[in-house]
Amino acid sequence: MKNSHSESYAAAGVDVTAGYESVERIKPMVESTYIPGVMGTLGGFGGLFAPNVSGMKKPVLVSGTDGVGTKLRLAQLMDKHDTIGIDCVAMCVNDIICGGAAPLFFLDYIACGKNNPVRIAEIVSGITEGCRQAGCALVGGETAEHPGMMAEDDYDVAGFSVGLVDEDQIIDGKDLAVGDMLIGLASTGVHSNGFSLVRKVFDVEHADLNAPVEELGGKSLGETLLTPTRIYVKAVQGLLNQGVHIKAISHITGGGLYENVPRMMKEGLTAQIETSTFPVPPIFHLIAKKGQIPMRDMYNTFNMGVGLILAVPREEVGSAMELLCNMGEPAYVIGSVTAGDTGVELV
């Protein structure tokens, strides 16, 4: 790379040497995520990974892709870029575990108006932290400058992950039955969904994002909204490794409980959820109050305090809750599976 420099390309707005500097800054962080199976190192044209399929009858790859969405605008306004990478990883790996798969590796894509190596390193620091929390490796990525399409300080972050599960261990809700119980794993707040509504409600472009807010326990609005998405991989894997029969899982993302819970139900069954069984974080009360948003819309937009929902047999609820408690995972028994065709009912 020492001889690589194009004055003409730089004059057009793309500095390839800045890209090389970014790679050097992030390389130690990326290597900190490496797990058994990673082959090669950062800088190749493709990320190599050799999965261990010993003991598996029929290995199945499960993939997920997502971005951070308009939560990025909060990071840009606050000039804080070291956590949104966790959100990017979380949105992908939390989807993968809904099928029972363990994420193996992750790749990111960062588009920016101008490559600022320090900022890119801050973003990737969050991505690598998310990978460590999920137990997967960051095996590659791409940073692309888009001069003329994006303002110099603008950027977008997306990624994808690939996981592995034995076919007979896939979680798909096929054996759900009336009487199964629902366990809700607590969210850290808004996570990374509904931010177009959040930004409108708080007029974030003109708000003082650093001022303490009484309703938020003295925390600032910006700090609260930038709280990273909780990653549930190790919690779910911990339950599965202890033999808990998880029949179905729903990741509560955009569309809230009304949209996501029915995705884990099979025909003829409905998830009945008692909203009084789990605490709703103060940020959601503030959004509803400030925006005069009906509760029905709140539960159809946000996770409202529950980021992942598991369906387990009634006789295994106690052991599952004990295991989650031992893992330090806040969780609540929030309802049960009933007969019906609405998919979900909130009572």
Side-chain angles (χ1 to χ4, degrees), residues 185-186 230-232 234-235 321 323-331:
L185 276 58
R230 188 184 295 275
I231 292 176
Y232 300 102
K234 292 181 179 178
M321 291 294 290
L323 287 167
L324 289 166
C325 179
N326 291 339
M327 288 187 282
E329 195 73 35

Side-chain angles (χ1 to χ4, degrees), residues 1-323:
M1 306 297 184
K2 293 180 179 179
N3 294 324
S4 177
H5 178 68
S6 170
E7 295 288 349
S8 299
Y9 208 6
V14 178
D15 183 359
V16 293
T17 59
Y20 304 146
E21 181 183 344
S22 294
V23 171
E24 289 305 309
R25 286 177 177 270
I26 67 176
K27 190 173 182 179
M29 293 185 285
V30 172
E31 291 178 345
S32 75
T33 71
Y34 285 179
I35 60 175
V38 174
M39 301 174 65
T41 186
L42 193 66
F45 289 100
L48 304 178
F49 193 94
N52 180 5
V53 297
S54 60
M56 287 188 166
K57 299 175 182 177
K58 189 173 182 180
V60 177
L61 294 175
V62 182
S63 59
T65 185
D66 210 334
V68 183
T70 61
K71 184 174 185 175
L72 287 173
R73 185 57 183 156
L74 271 296
Q76 293 166 0
L77 288 170
M78 296 188 68
D79 194 23
K80 179 174 171 54
H81 314 281
D82 60 347
T83 60
I84 46 89
I86 300 175
D87 292 289
C88 188
V89 175
M91 298 307 294
C92 298
V93 299
N94 285 346
D95 279 352
I96 285 177
I97 60 168
C98 288
L104 299 174
F105 58 83
F106 185 85
L107 285 90
D108 67 80
Y109 177 82
I110 303 172
C112 56
K114 184 175 180 61
N115 189 330
N116 179 331
V118 173
R119 180 173 295 171
I120 297 300
E122 291 176 355
I123 296 169
V124 174
S125 72
I127 294 172
T128 56
E129 172 59 23
C131 287
R132 287 190 293 269
Q133 290 183 23
C136 66
L138 179 59
V139 297
E142 173 70 10
T143 300
E145 286 186 278
H146 291 170
M149 292 184 63
M150 303 175 73
E152 285 195 1
D153 288 336
D154 281 351
Y155 63 86
D156 193 13
V157 182
F160 81 93
S161 186
V162 173
L164 186 69
V165 64
D166 210 347
E167 185 178 41
D168 61 5
Q169 299 299 313
I170 292 174
I171 298 172
D172 57 9
K174 63 180 179 296
D175 56 351
L176 271 175
V178 172
D180 288 336
M181 301 300 291
L182 304 174
I183 296 175
L185 276 58
S187 71
T188 55
V190 184
H191 281 185
S192 189
N193 308 105
F195 270 84
S196 293
L197 178 55
V198 168
R199 291 184 301 113
K200 177 183 178 181
V201 167
F202 293 113
D203 189 16
V204 297
E205 299 293 329
H206 305 100
D208 184 351
L209 297 173
N210 294 304
V213 179
E214 182 180 354
E215 293 95 330
L216 301 177
K219 293 178 63 176
S220 72
L221 179 62
E223 177 188 7
T224 301
L225 293 175
L226 277 185
T227 302
T229 303
R230 188 184 295 275
I231 292 176
Y232 300 102
V233 172
K234 292 181 179 178
V236 173
Q237 288 181 327
L239 293 177
L240 293 173
N241 290 339
Q242 291 299 315
V244 174
H245 183 193
I246 302 176
K247 294 188 174 185
I249 306 178
S250 178
H251 182 202
I252 310 304
T253 55
L257 279 75
Y258 278 108
E259 181 174 314
N260 289 288
V261 176
R263 295 169 64 181
M264 77 176 194
M265 307 304 295
K266 68 179 185 181
E267 187 175 354
L269 296 178
T270 289
Q272 188 172 83
I273 295 175
E274 299 177 32
T275 58
S276 63
T277 56
F278 56 91
V280 176
I283 183 61
F284 294 116
H285 294 299
L286 188 60
I287 292 170
K289 177 183 176 182
K290 179 77 172 176
Q292 297 183 328
I293 301 172
M295 276 298 111
R296 176 62 169 74
D297 288 357
M298 291 294 295
Y299 281 95
N300 208 157
T301 306
F302 303 107
N303 65 66
M304 299 302 284
V306 175
L308 200 77
I309 296 178
L310 316 175
V312 302
R314 182 178 294 272
E315 62 272 16
E316 296 190 34
V317 169
S319 58
M321 291 294 290
E322 182 178 358
L323 287 167

